[in-house]
């Protein structure tokens, strides 16, 4: 029972001295070879005898212990390990010479064997495999370099394996596992939704060949109305009307719908509107002017009903927009036409009133007749005066003829005076025919102007009516909604792949950001 601790103590001392380990043997061999290596000139290397130089040689602890033992063996009073090396070298003893080392090792072995022989073995001992304490083969520098390179390569391979394992673990946690959860939801939990597709367009009424009608047959003429219809169908106004007529929120509050797509019993208008925008997708294609609408619902018949209701809402809104435009245009044209009619009627009444005031329908004709009669009397009077002058030119004029001509002249002058007096009568005073004629002429000119204005107003109203008729919009459904026989959503494979790409992209961005920050901090 007393021999086992002694054997363990013996092995510990030998391991402490480093004699039995391969690394200790290799270090001893390399130091011995360095100490005994000749210089470039073929002479032996001169050992350093200064303590500072000895310290700069980089001696190991084992070498210093060996030097201290050799100094004690040679009875040298050394104050330190470096002083022991200095004293030994001054005495001519190399503490790292192979012969000195082997001699010291053999003496130690003999001393330990003597100590072991003094131990009395009373019990049978277990035979143990003693470690090999023989010195190993000497390694060349190239072999040692290859050995160290191999160790470095093995360490790099181990580090690569650890990093690769950590990478796969992170990918599994942050990418694969979330993708599996998303795929499980789409394949097992998500409620199937049935979509009904429809398409409709807004057409303009056929118009004339004006410049504004050049675009009447194209999609650009109805593009603003199409955009306005799309905005209306995507607004909360359409949702409120749909909620009042069909009960949109009640459809998605049923218990058998999955929790993500189901509305809570006390859902607000904002939550319902978010679901409405997800379930109803409306797009306008400006190239062909067609509005395409897709409505998804848990039941295909409900989806078709929602589509038809929204199309009727769009038709009502289009009719309201065009009716408002037509009324705005026709209101001004109708007001102008009515004002022209009233002004013409007023001008015509004024003319009739003037004609009734003078008891003459046409004073101008009366004045013209008087002027004509006066002119004729003057012409006849001039003729009679010429005839009288011709008779008086005779030496013996006929008295009877002369008297007759003179009587005719007197009668014509009397008639002329009467006509002039009548002309003066009708031309003088405030109520004269001349003044009345001027007023009637002005009233007639005003009536003619009012007639022209009335005609212009009538033409403008007709033109406005034509333009208003051209602004009429018609909603035509090109694709009617039909119940779907297979669920359209969720798209299981596409959504799972999209989730994988999304998680992979997020992980990649975070990894790149972390590596860049790590590099910045380390630098």
């Amino acid at each position: 029972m007393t021999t086992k601790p002694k054997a363990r103590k013996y092995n510990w001392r030998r391991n402490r001295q480093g004699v039995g380990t391969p690394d200790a043997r290799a270090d001893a061999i390399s130091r011995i070879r360095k100490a005994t290596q000749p210089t470039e000139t073929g002479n032996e290397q001169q050992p350093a005898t200064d303590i500072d130089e000895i310290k700069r040689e980089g001696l190991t602890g084992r070498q210093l212990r060996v030097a201290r033992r050799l100094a004690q063996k040679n009875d040298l009073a050394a104050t330190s390990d470096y002083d022991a090396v200095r004293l030994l070298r001054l005495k001519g003893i190399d503490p790292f010479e192979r012969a000195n080392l082997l001699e010291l090792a053999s003496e130690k072995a003999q001393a330990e064997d003597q100590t072991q022989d003094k131990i009395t073995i009373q019990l049978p001992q277990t035979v143990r495999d003693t470690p090999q304490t023989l010195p190993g083969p000497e390694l060349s520098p190239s072999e040692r370099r290859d050995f160290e390179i191999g160790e470095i390569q093995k360490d790099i391979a181990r580090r690569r394996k650890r990093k690769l394992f950590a990478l796969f673990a992170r990918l599994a946690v942050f990418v694969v596992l979330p993708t599996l959860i998303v795929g499980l939801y789409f394949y097992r939990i998500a409620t199937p939704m049935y979509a009904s597709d429809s398409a409709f367009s807004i057409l303009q009424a056929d118009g004339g060949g004006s410049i504004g009608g050049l675009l009447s047959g194209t999609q650009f003429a109805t593009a603003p109305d199409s955009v306005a219809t799309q905005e209306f169908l995507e607004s909360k106004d359409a949702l409120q009307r749909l909620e009042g007529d069909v009960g949109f929120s009640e459809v998605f509050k049923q218990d058998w719908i999955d929790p993500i797509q189901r509305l809570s019993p006390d859902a607000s208008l904002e939550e319902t509107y978010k679901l409405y925008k997800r379930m109803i997708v409306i797009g306008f294609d400006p190239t062909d002017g067609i509005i395409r609408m897709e409505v998804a619902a848990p039941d295909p018949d409900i989806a078709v009903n929602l589509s038809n209701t929204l199309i009727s809402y769009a038709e009502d809104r289009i009719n309201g927009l065009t009716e408002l435009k037509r009324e705005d245009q026709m209101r001004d044209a109708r007001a102008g036409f009515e004002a022209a009619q009233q002004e013409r009627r007023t001008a015509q009444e004024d003319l009739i009133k003037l004609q009734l005031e003078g008891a003459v329908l046409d004073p101008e004709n009366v004045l013209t007749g008087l002027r004509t009669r006066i002119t004729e009397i003057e012409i006849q009077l001039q003729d009679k005066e010429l005839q009288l002058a011709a008779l008086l030119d005779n030496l013996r004029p006929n008295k009877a003829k002369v008297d007759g001509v003179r009587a005719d002249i007197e009668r014509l002058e009397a008639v002329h005076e009467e006509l002039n007096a009548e002309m003066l009568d009708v031309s003088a005073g405030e109520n004269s025919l001349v003044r009345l004629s001027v007023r009637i002429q002005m009233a007639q000119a005003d009536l003619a102007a009012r007639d022209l204005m009335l005609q212009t107003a009538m033409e403008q109203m007709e033109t406005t009516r034509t333009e208003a008729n051209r602004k009429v919009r018609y909603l035509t459904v090109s694709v009617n909604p039909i119940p779907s026989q297979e669920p359209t959503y969720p798209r299981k494979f596409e959504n799972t792949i999209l989730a994988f790409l999304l998680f992979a992209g997020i992980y990649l961005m975070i990894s790149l950001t972390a590596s860049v920050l790590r590099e910045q901090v380390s630098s």
Side-chain angles (χ1 to χ4, degrees):
M1 296 298 292
T2 59
T3 58
K4 290 182 180 181
K6 292 180 180 179
R8 287 197 294 272
K9 182 178 181 182
Y10 170 73
N11 292 335
W12 174 80
R13 291 180 63 189
R14 292 178 62 85
N15 291 335
R16 184 178 180 184
Q17 293 175 2
V19 179
T21 59
D23 294 338
R25 291 197 301 271
D27 292 339
I29 291 169
S30 62
R31 295 189 191 98
I32 292 169
R33 185 168 59 250
K34 184 186 296 183
T36 57
Q37 185 177 1
T39 58
E40 295 180 357
T41 58
N43 298 328
E44 294 182 356
Q45 183 180 6
Q46 296 297 330
T49 58
D50 189 14
I51 292 179
D52 295 334
E53 294 180 356
I54 293 172
K55 288 181 179 180
R56 285 194 294 269
E57 289 181 3
L59 299 177
T60 62
R62 185 176 178 277
Q63 290 175 335
L64 296 175
R65 289 194 299 272
V66 171
R68 186 174 64 251
R69 293 192 191 99
L70 287 176
Q72 292 174 0
K73 180 182 177 183
N74 290 280
D75 297 330
L76 298 175
T79 58
S80 64
D81 294 342
Y82 294 105
D83 189 37
V85 175
R86 184 182 66 80
L87 294 175
L88 287 173
R89 288 180 178 177
L90 290 175
K91 194 175 181 181
I93 299 173
D94 187 359
F96 309 118
E97 189 177 1
R98 184 181 181 85
N100 296 331
L101 294 174
L102 293 177
E103 183 180 357
L104 183 61
S106 63
E107 290 178 359
K108 280 289 183 181
Q110 291 175 3
E112 290 175 358
D113 291 340
Q114 291 176 2
T115 305
Q116 187 176 8
D117 291 340
K118 294 178 181 179
I119 299 174
T120 304
I121 302 175
Q122 298 178 357
L123 294 175
Q125 302 295 317
T126 303
V127 179
R128 297 175 181 270
D129 294 335
T130 58
Q132 298 293 331
T133 59
L134 298 176
E138 184 178 355
L139 298 176
S140 63
S142 61
E143 292 176 348
R144 188 172 184 81
R145 183 176 64 253
D146 295 339
F147 175 76
E148 292 176 354
I149 291 174
E151 292 295 328
I152 293 173
Q153 290 177 348
K154 291 179 182 178
D155 183 63
I156 292 173
R158 288 193 297 271
R159 291 172 61 187
R160 285 180 178 175
K161 288 181 181 179
R162 288 197 301 269
K163 290 184 177 180
L164 190 62
F165 177 76
L167 175 63
F168 279 115
R170 290 193 298 268
L171 288 176
V173 172
F174 295 107
V175 178
V176 178
L177 183 60
T179 304
L180 291 177
I181 295 174
V182 172
L184 177 64
Y185 166 74
F186 286 130
Y187 277 91
R188 296 294 182 184
I189 303 175
T191 303
M193 293 291 172
Y194 299 86
S196 64
D197 297 328
S198 59
F200 54 90
S201 59
I202 298 174
L203 301 180
Q204 184 179 6
D206 296 334
S210 62
I211 297 177
L214 294 177
L215 301 176
S216 61
T218 63
Q219 69 276 10
F220 300 104
T222 59
D225 297 321
S226 300
V227 173
T229 304
Q230 179 185 2
E231 294 294 333
F232 166 71
L233 293 178
E234 292 178 347
S235 64
K236 293 181 181 179
D237 187 7
L239 172 61
Q240 290 180 345
R241 292 185 61 181
L242 196 65
E243 181 72 19
D245 296 341
V246 182
F248 176 80
S249 61
E250 298 298 330
V251 176
F252 293 91
K253 288 181 181 179
Q254 304 180 52
D255 296 335
W256 53 272
I257 300 177
D258 65 272
I260 295 179
Q261 300 182 91
R262 184 175 64 236
L263 281 174
S264 58
D266 55 348
S268 62
L269 179 61
E270 299 298 331
E271 296 175 353
T272 308
Y273 183 61
K274 291 180 181 178
L275 180 65
Y276 174 80
K277 293 181 70 175
R278 288 206 314 267
M279 294 301 169
I280 297 176
V281 180
I282 302 173
F284 171 62
D285 190 357
T287 57
D288 51 12
I290 295 178
I291 300 175
R292 293 178 175 86
M293 182 173 62
E294 182 184 76
V295 179
D299 186 82
D301 296 331
I302 294 177
V304 172
N305 187 20
L306 293 176
S307 297
N308 291 327
T309 306
L310 290 175
I311 290 174
S312 65
Y313 292 166
E315 188 173 4
D316 294 341
R317 179 52 59 95
I318 286 297
N319 293 334
L321 290 175
T322 55
E323 184 178 0
L324 182 62
K325 291 180 181 179
R326 294 196 305 269
E327 288 297 329
D328 289 341
Q329 289 182 347
M330 289 298 298
R331 186 182 300 110
D332 296 336
R334 191 179 296 109
F337 175 72
E338 291 176 356
Q341 277 186 331
Q342 184 64 32
E343 291 176 357
R344 182 187 180 280
R345 186 178 297 109
T346 303
Q348 192 172 10
E349 289 176 355
D350 292 340
L351 177 60
I352 294 173
K353 184 177 180 181
L354 290 174
Q355 290 177 350
L356 293 176
E357 284 180 359
V360 179
L361 294 178
D362 192 358
E364 183 67 24
N365 292 334
V366 174
L367 294 174
T368 304
L370 287 175
R371 292 192 188 95
T372 305
R373 290 171 59 189
I374 291 172
T375 303
E376 291 177 356
I377 294 299
E378 288 177 353
I379 293 172
Q380 293 178 6
L381 181 60
Q382 187 177 6
D383 291 339
K384 292 297 181 179
E385 289 178 352
L386 290 175
Q387 186 179 358
L388 178 60
L391 291 175
L392 293 175
D393 287 338
N394 295 325
L395 295 175
R396 297 177 67 181
N398 188 352
K399 186 179 180 180
K401 290 182 178 182
V402 172
D403 293 337
V405 171
R406 285 179 176 174
D408 292 336
I409 292 173
E410 289 177 357
R411 287 191 295 270
L412 289 175
E413 287 178 353
V415 172
H416 185 266
E417 289 177 359
E418 292 178 0
L419 290 176
N420 286 332
E422 185 178 357
M423 178 64 70
L424 291 175
D425 234 5
V426 299
S427 300
E430 294 181 358
N431 296 325
S432 63
L433 289 179
V434 176
R435 188 178 296 275
L436 183 61
S437 176
V438 172
R439 292 174 62 186
I440 289 175
Q441 288 178 0
M442 292 175 62
Q444 289 176 349
D446 190 11
L447 179 60
R450 297 304 176 184
D451 288 338
L452 182 60
M453 291 176 62
L454 179 60
Q455 184 178 0
T456 304
M458 291 179 63
E459 293 177 356
Q460 184 178 0
M461 190 175 66
E462 292 297 327
T463 305
T464 304
R465 184 182 290 109
T466 304
E467 292 293 334
N469 291 332
R470 276 203 297 267
K471 291 184 181 298
V472 177
R473 301 292 188 266
Y474 302 97
L475 190 143
T476 59
V477 180
S478 56
V479 178
N480 291 312
I482 298 176
S484 178
Q485 297 181 356
E486 295 182 359
T488 308
Y489 299 102
R491 296 173 180 173
K492 304 174 182 178
F493 181 75
E494 293 85 349
N495 292 341
T496 305
I497 295 297
L498 180 61
F500 173 77
L501 295 177
L502 180 62
F503 290 128
I506 294 174
Y507 174 77
L508 180 61
M509 288 191 297
I510 295 175
S511 300
L512 290 176
T513 305
S515 58
V516 170
L517 294 177
R518 192 183 303 113
E519 182 179 359
Q520 293 293 330
V521 171
S522 62
S523 62

